[in-house]
Amino acid sequence: MKRKTTRLFLLLTLAVLAPLAQKSDAVAQIVEAASWQIEHSNTSDGVLTLTFKGRPTGDFHVYGIELPDGGPTPTGIELDESKGIKPLGPVTASPAPETHHDPNFDMDLQWYSKPFTVTQKFQITDPKNFSLAGDLIYMGCNDNTCTPPTRVSFSVTADDLTTPLKMSAPKEGTGAEDKSTTAEAASTTDTATASEEEVVEEPSEAAEVADEEETQKAAASTVVSTEVGEDNPIWTPIISELKEYGDRNLQATDSSLWTIFILGFLGGLIALLTPCVWPMIPMTVSFFLKRSQSRKKAISDAIIYGISIIVIYLALGLIITGIFGASALNSMATNAVFNIIFFLLLVVFAVSFFGAFELVLPQSWTNKLDSKAESTGGLLSIFFMAFTLVLVSFSCTGPIIGTLLVDAASRGDVFGPAIGMFGFALALALPFSLFAIFPNWLQSVPKSGGWMNSVKVVLAFLELALSLKFLSVADLAYGWGILDREVFVSLWIVIFALLGLYLLGKITFPNDTPVERLSVSRLFMGIISLAFAVYMIPGLWGAPLKSISAFAPPLSTQDFNLYDAEVHPQFEDYDLGMAYAAQRGKPVLIDFSGYGCVNCRKMEASVWTDPKVKDIIDNQFVLITLIVDDKTQLPEMIEITENGQKRKLKTIGDKWSYFQRYKFGSNAQPFYVMLDQAGQPLGSSYGFDQDVNQYIDWLNSGLTEYKNQE
């Protein structure tokens, strides 16, 4: 890679300095690799075609539109202004390019040494007021030198149209443009006719067949249409059709809720080991046993105490859902401000756990609750005691609860926060009831001591690592690029290496008890932490790191990546991807994903990296990835009506999230569905399941259905 970059730099430097060495009558000579003729035409229904006719000069060749990384600049179109008009499909070129080994870059490349055309189609969405301007960018070389990337400017306005438009400007929120766009794209091909006066030669029959590599690769579209095509056939809801295939994902919320419950329960078990909760267990149980006249009454009071804890946390989850709603919580989970605040909170909690300072709620709060518990009697006093525990333990349980709520909200389940809180509270309340029933167990419970501070420090390291996940979500959703994958992995390597050294007693903190002898359990935990840090080192060069794929940014954010087995989407716009699939005669694989979607990263790292899966997706399907939490603003706000209420879609993520609900009746990610060119399903949808063989069978079943339809 370094050798190719150096060679490219030298060639470009030579191209820039060459005119200085080729003087004629003291006038510098400017080398042009090709001459260009720009033409445009339009149909009455608003399809504008830009044609760039290129003729390489002398012994120069001009590179094609599909080139591998590390090579020269491919021929392409860059838009500076696009108002009232949108690209229709990718840039195309004809005839098929030649493929040669280029000694300048030491790789096989596609180029044109004879006249050729570059074509880009556009759909006019505002016939009366549109404008289009940009540059054609190309690069050429011969055996001795290369030209730097060269720009050929163009511009088209409504006054330049050659054919009067019969279409009228569509109303916002309708799919009129998408309908004509898709029909036009599906039924037309590049038909550059040649005559004796034209520059372009008629391509041969062999050249009319697209090169296999070109067929397998489509330029990833970053242009997102600003309409919702509810009247377009490819937008027609197919919920009932999916159910006819026995689709289970549309009703598969139970497994997600169970996952949230289990995560909440595990969080509660962790919270039990913190210094805020653990010492309260024997104190509280002893209090109940002493205050009650009979053991039976003491047990019932302790059980009521545990139930009160569950009720308090369950109410907290229900209140949060009731105030914000599931969709708002899901939106908050990828909101930049929310994630940055939570990132800072976790960092503050981690610093506190390290021993820099103590986080406590106002003493007046707990004093008031204590007085309430003493002044009242019966069930109410027990409830106030439980509420006191919740407040006292907040400094230890707060980070765990917050992380749990964010994860539950990001899964899109209406009752997710409540179920998570129920699992957390159940784990927290069980010991109080069990030790009241079996008081003899208290004698075997480890006493509070230095080990509890060690638990806090370990939690501090974990919170510090987890905080980067929230910063990464905001960074990805808004495209800031401040926390690329290698930066994230580097920080995790350092954090877990330091955690390993701490567990081995090589690092101490202010509140730690000196480690005189290293226990076997602590030794093994230290080994695991250091081994985990070593495991992540290859990730700096692009290794998938499947075990942390749910937390780390995607591989696409890595600047230096030696790994080339990941799958990349061909399109990030549904309408453009469907038009391309119609042109190529391929089925479509829709991937609903999200920057904050943990399970999406797991599927990409553990399933899509399988060679068989990658081969099927790359060669047999047109992959369209739709990011439902992309915060990029749409050029124009879209107004829709959903469940009888008008809503405005402001971001790209809003549009694709609505599309998933409208057409497929789902709002969970990951969500995969196979479609034909008419937007009809080729089988049931597929959710989060890391069974590679099952995923391959699912893909093959869709291909079989597609062939049967043909």
Side-chain angles (χ1 to χ4, degrees):
M1 177 66 73
K2 188 174 181 180
R3 177 186 173 195
K4 293 175 183 176
T5 305
T6 303
R7 183 175 295 175
L8 176 59
F9 176 79
L10 292 175
L11 287 170
L12 293 178
T13 304
L14 180 61
V16 174
L17 297 179
L20 301 178
Q22 300 177 9
K23 293 184 178 180
S24 174
D25 298 329
V27 178
Q29 179 184 2
I30 300 176
V31 178
E32 295 286 350
S35 60
W36 293 90
Q37 180 181 351
I38 305 176
E39 298 178 356
H40 68 269
S41 61
N42 67 283
T43 59
S44 59
D45 55 353
V47 176
L48 174 69
T49 302
L50 275 181
T51 304
F52 302 85
K53 299 180 179 180
R55 179 188 290 275
T57 59
D59 58 350
F60 276 89
H61 54 259
V62 177
Y63 293 102
I65 61 176
E66 298 284 351
L67 298 178
D69 294 336
T73 301
T75 299
I77 294 175
E78 183 177 296
L79 298 180
D80 296 327
E81 182 179 0
S82 177
K83 179 181 178 183
I85 191 170
K86 65 180 181 180
L88 179 59
V91 178
T92 60
S94 62
E98 310 162 28
T99 302
H100 300 279
H101 183 78
D102 192 332
N104 295 320
F105 300 93
D106 193 22
M107 60 175 63
D108 293 332
L109 298 172
Q110 295 181 348
W111 69 52
Y112 295 94
S113 58
K114 296 181 180 180
F116 67 104
T117 61
V118 176
T119 305
Q120 173 69 68
K121 293 181 181 292
F122 296 85
Q123 176 65 52
I124 300 172
T125 58
D126 187 352
K128 296 181 180 180
N129 184 26
F130 83 89
S131 59
L132 179 69
D135 298 306
L136 171 77
I137 304 176
Y138 74 97
M139 181 175 171
C141 289
N142 59 17
D143 294 336
N144 300 314
T145 186
C146 292
T147 65
T150 306
R151 292 176 177 267
V152 179
S153 299
F154 64 87
S155 63
V156 182
T157 63
D159 296 333
D160 299 325
L161 296 182
T162 57
T163 302
L165 297 181
K166 296 181 180 179
M167 59 181 291
S168 58
K171 295 181 180 179
E172 184 181 19
T174 66
E177 306 95 278
D178 294 326
K179 200 169 185 178
S180 62
T181 299
T182 306
E184 180 71 20
S187 62
T188 60
T189 57
D190 297 326
T191 57
T193 58
S195 64
E196 294 181 358
E197 293 80 19
E198 286 183 320
V199 176
V200 182
E201 299 176 355
E202 180 70 30
S204 63
E205 182 177 352
E208 292 177 356
V209 180
D211 183 85
E212 184 63 25
E213 183 178 357
E214 182 184 356
T215 303
Q216 296 175 1
K217 297 180 180 179
S221 171
T222 58
V223 180
V224 177
S225 54
T226 57
E227 297 83 25
V228 291
E230 293 174 341
D231 297 331
N232 192 327
I234 63 173
W235 275 68
T236 302
I238 56 171
I239 302 170
S240 59
E241 288 83 350
L242 287 172
K243 291 181 179 179
E244 289 178 2
Y245 280 104
D247 198 299
R248 294 176 296 176
N249 292 306
L250 299 182
Q251 295 88 19
T253 57
D254 290 344
S255 60
S256 178
L257 292 176
W258 272 110
T259 301
I260 294 172
F261 172 80
I262 293 172
L263 290 175
F265 191 83
L266 293 175
L269 293 179
I270 294 173
L272 280 174
L273 301 177
T274 61
C276 309
V277 179
W278 186 262
M280 299 289 291
I281 297 175
M283 292 172 54
T284 306
V285 172
S286 299
F287 170 78
F288 282 124
L289 292 175
K290 290 178 181 178
R291 98 168 197 169
S292 300
Q293 299 178 353
S294 66
R295 184 168 178 270
K296 183 178 180 181
K297 184 70 167 59
I299 293 174
S300 64
D301 286 348
I303 292 176
I304 294 172
Y305 181 75
I307 294 174
S308 298
I309 294 174
I310 295 174
V311 169
I312 291 169
Y313 280 109
L314 185 60
L316 176 64
L318 290 173
I319 289 171
I320 290 174
T321 303
I323 293 175
F324 297 102
S327 59
L329 282 170
N330 194 15
S331 177
M332 286 175 60
T334 55
N335 179 273
V337 175
F338 177 81
N339 277 278
I340 290 175
I341 290 175
F342 209 82
F343 159 73
L344 294 174
L345 279 176
L346 285 181
V347 171
V348 170
F349 275 114
V351 173
S352 173
F353 281 11
F354 281 134
F357 52 85
E358 190 71 24
L359 279 176
V360 293
L361 290 174
Q363 188 67 31
S364 59
W365 293 12
T366 53
N367 289 339
K368 287 182 180 179
L369 285 173
D370 281 338
S371 62
K372 285 285 184 181
E374 293 176 1
S375 61
T376 56
L379 297 179
L380 192 59
S381 65
I382 296 176
F383 179 82
F384 278 117
M385 288 178 63
F387 212 97
T388 303
L389 171 70
V390 172
L391 287 179
V392 169
S393 62
F394 175 77
S395 61
C396 294
T397 60
I400 302 173
I401 292 172
T403 306
L404 174 65
L405 286 173
V406 172
D407 180 73
S410 65
R411 295 173 184 265
D413 292 302
V414 176
F415 298 106
I419 295 298
M421 287 295 94
F422 175 70
F424 178 87
L426 182 63
L428 205 63
L430 272 178
F432 294 95
S433 300
L434 290 176
F435 284 125
I437 297 173
F438 306 102
N440 293 334
W441 289 2
L442 286 173
Q443 299 176 1
S444 60
V445 172
K447 303 299 180 182
S448 302
W451 67 272
M452 301 199 70
N453 190 71
S454 297
V455 172
K456 283 184 68 174
V457 173
V458 170
L459 281 176
F461 277 109
L462 296 178
E463 286 174 6
L464 204 57
L466 189 60
S467 69
L468 296 175
K469 167 64 178 174
F470 295 99
L471 181 61
S472 172
V473 169
D475 180 57
L476 289 169
Y478 288 86
W480 297 330
I482 61 176
L483 194 62
D484 291 343
R485 186 174 183 269
E486 60 265 43
V487 177
F488 184 97
V489 173
S490 298
L491 291 171
W492 268 43
I493 291 172
V494 173
I495 289 172
F496 283 94
L498 291 175
L499 173 58
L501 293 175
Y502 171 77
L503 290 169
L504 295 178
K506 303 301 181 183
I507 300 175
T508 58
F509 290 91
N511 297 328
D512 279 330
T513 302
V515 180
E516 298 178 357
R517 294 181 181 179
L518 198 65
S519 65
V520 175
S521 59
R522 190 159 178 161
L523 170 66
F524 274 94
M525 286 190 295
I527 292 173
I528 292 172
S529 184
L530 290 173
F532 184 55
V534 174
Y535 159 80
M536 290 187 288
I537 291 176
L540 299 175
W541 291 273
L545 302 181
K546 296 181 180 181
S547 64
I548 68 167
S549 59
F551 302 95
L555 276 167
S556 58
T557 65
Q558 182 132 346
D559 295 327
F560 183 64
N561 187 3
L562 300 179
Y563 186 75
D564 60 355
E566 65 266 26
V567 175
H568 298 287
Q570 292 171 286
F571 288 90
E572 295 177 353
D573 183 278
Y574 175 69
D575 301 285
L576 297 181
M578 292 294 288
Y580 179 83
Q583 289 177 339
R584 295 302 176 97
K586 280 187 172 184
V588 173
L589 174 62
I590 305 290
D591 162 37
F592 285 99
S593 183
Y595 293 127
C597 175
V598 170
N599 289 336
C600 300
R601 302 292 87 77
K602 289 181 180 179
M603 289 293 291
E604 292 162 6
S606 61
V607 178
W608 278 13
T609 53
D610 181 83
K612 291 183 179 179
V613 174
K614 175 178 171 58
D615 179 68
I616 295 174
I617 294 177
D618 285 347
N619 299 326
Q620 303 297 323
F621 286 93
V622 172
L623 175 61
I624 304 174
T625 294
L626 304 177
I627 305 295
V628 300
D629 55 7
D630 190 335
K631 301 301 182 182
T632 304
Q633 294 291 319
L634 288 168
E636 298 176 9
M637 194 164 48
I638 305 171
E639 186 173 298
I640 54 96
T641 301
E642 186 176 19
N643 299 326
Q645 296 182 345
K646 288 188 176 181
R647 291 186 56 228
K648 292 182 178 180
L649 310 179
K650 300 179 180 180
T651 66
I652 292 174
D654 289 342
K655 177 178 179 180
W656 300 136
S657 180
Y658 167 71
F659 172 60
Q660 184 182 1
R661 299 191 303 270
Y662 176 76
K663 184 173 178 69
F664 304 102
S666 172
N667 67 343
Q669 294 82 41
F671 185 82
Y672 309 99
V673 63
M674 299 174 290
L675 305 176
D676 59 19
Q677 287 106 27
Q680 293 299 306
L682 298 173
S684 63
S685 64
Y686 196 97
F688 176 65
D689 189 334
Q690 299 181 82
D691 189 326
V692 174
N693 292 328
Q694 185 170 329
Y695 196 79
I696 292 174
D697 292 341
W698 178 73
L699 291 173
N700 287 330
S701 68
L703 292 173
T704 302
E705 178 70 17
Y706 181 74
K707 292 176 181 177
N708 291 338
Q709 289 182 6
E710 288 185 325

